[in-house]
Amino acid sequence: MVVVRTFMAHHQGMSLVALANVLFDGVMRTRFHAEPKVRAAELLLQERLPRDLRVTRLRAEEPQSDVPALVLPVLRLFSSPHDTPPRTHLMSNGRYTVMVTAAGSGFSRWNDLAVTRWREDPTRDAHGTYIFLQDVQSGKVWSAGYQPMGTEPETYNVDFSGERAKISRRDGSLATTLEIVVSPEDDAEVRRVTVQNLGNAPRDIELTSYAEIVLALPAADLAHPAFSNLFVRTEFVPGINSLLCTRKGREPEDPSPWVAHVIAGEGPPLGPLEYECDRARFLGRGRGLRAPISVMDGKPTNTAGAVLDPIVSLRRRVRVEPGETARITYTTLAAPSRQAALSLADKYHDPGMFERAVDLSWTQSQIQEHHLGMAPGEDHLFQEMAGRILHSNPSLRPSSDFLQRNTRGASSLWASGISGDLPIVLVGIEEPEERDFVRDILRAHEFWRMKGLEVDLVILNKKPPSYNQDLQHLLETLVRTRQAAQRHETNLSKGRIFVLRADQLSSEDTRLLEAAARVVLLSRRGSLSEQMDRVDRVLISTAVSPSFPRPRPPILNEPTLLPRLQFFNGLGGFSADGGEYVTILTPGQWTPAPWINIVANTGFGFQVSESGSGPTWALNSRENRLTPWFNDPVEDPPGEAFYLRDEESGEVWTPPLPIREEGSPHISRHGQGLRQFDYRSHGIASTLLQFVPLNDPIKISD
């Protein structure tokens, strides 16, 4: 026997790396997975080894080829922003999630935090990150998507694919394209706007971005947005054309998240970069996103710092020669520290980062589809279902008569372990032969998790009880197999999977589940695609096209007799007897902030501002509102309204909340226990008196 005294250096290196991993919590693994090339292929590490191997040997006469089969991509194409519910598309790298609708609205979220403000509103679909465009020569203003300006384009096309969202429109001789992608390697979303001049004259175009910054849990922002805004601070970093935002933690040890908003362009800009961080200065009091004063009538004020209502907005002017194209890229990114945010902002100051993000996103989407074993086009089916989860819609829910028979609240779900905090998808299964349907919905649940959509999936076993409970055992096995594939992941979604037996639930419990679910599916009604196709056909057949009033010559209003007021300050004053405070607002004039009147008895009341907005409540103004209050001192949108319509012209206006760009002065009387509005418009004089009786829970509007 001969002893060989030798060693290899890499063996010692492997030992040292192993020791470092043990002593420093896997530091070498963390460094390895921090490499962009490794992160782009991380899903390959999640594939499970098959339990049973089936070996197939090729016969000699069979040709062997390394060329994979060509699978053409399946696209979701739409030509209208008016679909109900809004068509949605989810994009995510597992940490940073973007949802965009066909109209250009949506939200951005980073882990559990809302980066931008969003409210579920399938009717208006009016929250998101927007880009305004203005033709300097003509003054015409439109947006890269249909929202928020709402101007009807000559053509409008939406293309949702696995790696990006794309909205194209044409307005006159200008074609605008908005492309949105989430970077797989960084927590960032990149939006590129392409403007093509199809005319014969050069055009100067101003592009202005807009997003309301939250940096808090969505529930906290929904509960009290005005209070939540107070802890956000903004700053402008001129060297990299970036706006920085951060939220101060409640406790000194709480981490402070950071967000950067960056602009990058191809070619030299016209004039300096302009910015705005104050929503009140951007919109103007009483104006909304359909007519922001900063875009329509003014310029950004270059305001940053501690503002009451934080936004990020960057403006740049470009010149587009005939037949040429200009591109501007806006990037919004999130980071755990200021230095990390600045580093990423500097990186995305390069306009070429958009193409890199698209390439990486395409690779990630292909890996995810392979990991889930999805058939071509199945991802778009799951995206369509996600739209019904994000926006509540009756198309996949029980009838209204059935819902009215439910008498239980969300707390009754707790007995089944369901919190009710997340959207619920309820699936009814009756036979073991329907296992493929269960596999599809489990695959959809994991797809939503990868896209940042947290959903509680409830699988209801509707088979009558038997001795062996074969269906129950099958469902539990399928769920355990799917969950076993996710145990190695550290960022598991809060959405859970529940397998319940219908024979162990009362009829009231079953009715509650169906009433609480946003989507109810039954396997006996066909496959997922068949059920979604039936829903789409119904929605298309019942779609209503928007109508617009017929133009006619304006009607002159008779002069309004204005009351004589004491201590008049230009906006309002006291009546002659001192019993009322009266505001007189001329067209285009607003009070500096909403002037509120509370009218209530001991158990019922309402709040109303000088523009007529405010909620109605019973017993408790916070916990039991009957109509919504938006807590927005800038726009002060109404939750209640009365509409007057001219049947000849189709024109519509509201007495308490006129646009006040034309017409007579708007008079509001604030008295003890009442509020009265007087207004003349379209040749019609209207008066609205609102009050609450002393002892009855009634709001009277006369």
Side-chain angles (χ1 to χ4, degrees):
M1 182 179 65
V2 178
V3 178
V4 179
R5 301 182 182 278
T6 184
F7 61 89
M8 294 185 180
H10 71 274
H11 289 171
Q12 293 184 342
M14 293 166 62
S15 300
L16 292 174
V17 169
L19 288 172
N21 279 331
V22 172
L23 297 176
F24 299 104
D25 296 327
V27 63
M28 297 306 296
R29 290 197 304 272
T30 302
R31 292 174 179 173
F32 178 76
H33 286 277
E35 286 292 325
K37 291 182 179 179
V38 176
R39 293 173 63 185
E42 277 185 341
L43 284 177
L44 293 176
L45 303 176
Q46 302 174 9
E47 293 187 346
R48 294 182 296 126
L49 291 175
R51 296 181 179 179
D52 300 316
L53 296 179
R54 182 173 298 176
V55 180
T56 302
R57 293 179 174 85
L58 294 175
R59 295 190 296 269
E61 65 270 19
E62 289 183 343
Q64 300 184 24
S65 174
D66 295 328
V67 180
L70 177 63
V71 179
L72 297 177
V74 180
L75 305 177
R76 297 171 65 208
L77 304 176
F78 309 104
S79 58
S80 171
H82 303 299
D83 291 336
T84 302
R87 304 286 186 174
T88 64
H89 190 63
L90 286 166
M91 298 171 286
S92 178
N93 60 12
R95 303 170 306 277
Y96 195 100
T97 301
V98 170
M99 186 276 286
V100 61
T101 69
S105 299
F107 61 71
S108 302
R109 289 179 181 171
W110 183 46
N111 297 322
D112 293 333
L113 300 181
V115 177
T116 59
R117 181 164 288 117
W118 182 74
R119 299 289 185 264
E120 180 188 346
D121 188 346
T123 303
R124 296 191 304 149
D125 187 25
H127 291 85
T129 298
Y130 300 118
I131 299 174
F132 299 87
L133 297 95
Q134 182 175 36
D135 187 334
V136 177
Q137 283 85 358
S138 66
K140 181 181 178 181
V141 179
W142 69 101
S143 45
Y146 179 79
Q147 293 286 14
M149 291 300 298
T151 54
E152 290 291 335
E154 297 176 12
T155 61
Y156 193 88
N157 296 286
V158 181
D159 174 3
F160 290 154
S161 59
E163 71 274 10
R164 77 175 96 182
K166 181 179 179 181
I167 300 176
S168 305
R169 60 181 293 164
R170 180 168 178 176
D171 301 83
S173 60
L174 291 173
T176 308
T177 301
L178 171 64
E179 299 170 275
I180 308 171
V181 63
V182 174
S183 172
E185 62 178 346
D186 300 309
D187 295 338
E189 60 176 289
V190 190
R191 299 172 183 250
R192 185 173 71 178
V193 183
T194 302
V195 182
Q196 184 179 9
N197 185 358
L198 304 176
N200 300 320
R203 311 288 284 274
D204 290 344
I205 306 297
E206 285 186 340
L207 294 94
T208 307
S209 62
Y210 174 88
E212 299 176 21
I213 298 299
V214 176
L215 285 179
L217 295 175
D221 179 66
L222 181 62
H224 205 322
F227 177 76
S228 179
N229 288 338
L230 298 177
F231 300 93
V232 177
R233 179 170 54 85
T234 64
E235 65 174 296
F236 177 65
V237 184
I240 51 177
N241 296 340
S242 173
L243 289 171
L244 285 183
C245 305
T246 185
R247 169 175 288 277
K248 183 179 179 181
R250 289 180 176 268
E251 302 294 337
E253 63 273 9
D254 289 345
S256 296
W258 289 78
V259 162
H261 187 60
V262 191
I263 186 172
E266 300 176 359
L270 294 180
L273 177 68
E274 300 172 301
Y275 62 91
E276 184 62 76
C277 294
D278 188 343
R279 179 169 173 264
R281 294 174 184 267
F282 185 91
L283 295 181
R285 170 76 174 96
R287 304 172 69 122
L289 283 172
R290 289 289 169 97
I293 191 171
S294 181
V295 176
M296 307 293 291
D297 306 318
K299 298 179 63 178
T301 62
N302 294 347
T303 298
V307 295
L308 294 179
D309 205 342
I311 65 168
V312 288
S313 176
L314 293 171
R315 173 181 292 181
R316 170 143 287 174
R317 179 181 295 189
V318 297
R319 174 164 295 171
V320 190
E321 299 293 339
E324 298 296 325
T325 298
R327 293 183 177 88
I328 294 292
T329 301
Y330 290 95
T331 301
T332 304
L333 55 92
S337 65
R338 185 178 190 275
Q339 186 57 42
L342 288 174
S343 177
L344 286 176
D346 184 58
K347 176 181 178 180
Y348 283 88
H349 189 230
D350 177 7
M353 288 302 299
F354 177 81
E355 294 296 341
R356 174 179 173 82
V358 170
D359 292 340
L360 291 176
S361 179
W362 182 87
T363 302
Q364 183 191 51
S365 66
Q366 298 300 307
I367 293 174
Q368 288 178 342
E369 292 179 17
H370 175 72
H371 169 68
L372 294 175
M374 296 168 56
E378 200 169 26
D379 58 332
H380 298 314
L381 171 64
F382 298 159
Q383 292 276 12
E384 286 290 337
M385 294 179 64
R388 270 64 176 187
I389 298 172
L390 290 164
H391 293 97
S392 182
N393 184 268
S395 59
L396 288 174
R397 302 189 68 203
S399 65
S400 58
D401 293 337
F402 180 89
L403 296 177
Q404 289 178 358
R405 292 199 294 270
N406 175 53
T407 58
R408 296 192 175 185
S411 59
S412 299
L413 295 171
W414 300 348
S416 301
I418 305 172
S419 67
D421 297 332
L422 300 179
I424 297 175
V425 174
L426 178 64
V427 178
I429 307 295
E430 297 179 354
E431 297 296 337
E433 291 74 15
E434 298 164 345
R435 68 187 69 186
D436 288 340
F437 188 90
V438 179
R439 291 192 180 100
D440 291 343
I441 197 64
L442 290 174
R443 194 158 54 247
H445 185 263
E446 187 171 357
F447 177 85
W448 297 329
R449 179 189 60 80
M450 288 182 173
K451 297 300 181 181
L453 178 60
E454 297 176 345
V455 177
D456 279 339
L457 174 61
V458 180
I459 302 176
L460 187 60
N461 177 5
K462 291 193 170 186
K463 185 177 180 180
S466 62
Y467 178 76
N468 56 5
Q469 293 294 336
D470 54 339
L471 180 56
Q472 185 70 16
H473 295 157
L474 173 63
L475 294 176
E476 293 174 351
T477 301
L478 291 174
V479 172
R480 280 198 303 268
T481 303
R482 177 60 63 182
Q483 292 175 338
Q486 303 174 11
R487 286 176 182 169
H488 63 279
E489 300 184 21
T490 57
N491 57 339
L492 287 177
S493 167
K494 295 179 181 178
R496 297 173 57 192
I497 303 175
F498 303 87
V499 180
L500 306 179
R501 290 171 51 181
D503 61 291
Q504 294 182 348
L505 299 175
S506 66
S507 58
E508 291 81 6
D509 292 333
T510 304
R511 189 180 300 117
L512 171 63
L513 281 173
E514 296 189 27
R518 296 211 164 194
V519 172
V520 178
L521 301 169
L522 298 177
S523 58
R524 58 181 170 80
R525 294 179 180 173
S527 64
L528 289 179
S529 59
E530 291 172 346
Q531 296 190 46
M532 292 301 298
D533 287 342
R534 284 196 294 269
V535 169
D536 285 339
R537 286 196 295 269
V538 172
L539 292 177
I540 292 174
S541 63
T542 57
V544 178
S545 301
S547 60
F548 302 95
R550 296 178 292 274
R552 72 174 186 180
I555 299 177
L556 298 179
N557 298 299
E558 296 182 2
T560 301
L561 181 62
L562 301 180
R564 299 185 61 181
L565 303 178
Q566 303 181 66
F567 308 106
F568 184 69
N569 57 15
L571 298 175
F574 291 96
S575 60
D577 60 0
E580 297 178 334
Y581 190 85
V582 183
T583 60
I584 302 175
L585 303 177
T586 58
Q589 189 178 27
W590 296 84
T591 57
W595 287 4
I596 301 297
N597 186 13
I598 296 178
V599 180
N601 56 32
T602 57
F604 192 89
F606 66 92
Q607 168 186 306
V608 60
S609 70
E610 88 293 340
S611 61
S613 69
T616 301
W617 66 82
L619 302 178
N620 189 298
S621 62
R622 173 181 171 83
E623 302 298 332
N624 197 22
R625 295 191 193 118
L626 304 181
T627 55
W629 181 50
F630 299 96
N631 197 5
D632 183 356
V634 178
E635 291 188 58
D636 192 25
E640 308 173 23
F642 292 92
Y643 291 93
L644 301 180
R645 184 177 187 270
D646 189 323
E647 292 298 328
E648 294 182 359
S649 67
E651 293 177 301
V652 179
W653 68 98
T654 59
L657 189 68
I659 301 300
R660 294 207 293 271
E661 297 299 335
E662 59 183 18
S664 64
H666 177 265
I667 302 175
S668 173
R669 300 177 182 273
H670 173 175
Q672 293 184 2
L674 61 88
R675 190 76 179 227
Q676 178 176 317
F677 301 92
D678 298 301
Y679 184 64
R680 293 176 182 265
S681 182
H682 301 77
I684 302 295
S686 59
T687 297
L688 175 64
L689 175 64
Q690 296 179 313
F691 64 95
V692 172
L694 289 177
N695 301 312
D696 298 321
I698 301 173
K699 175 183 178 180
I700 298 177
S701 300
D702 183 14

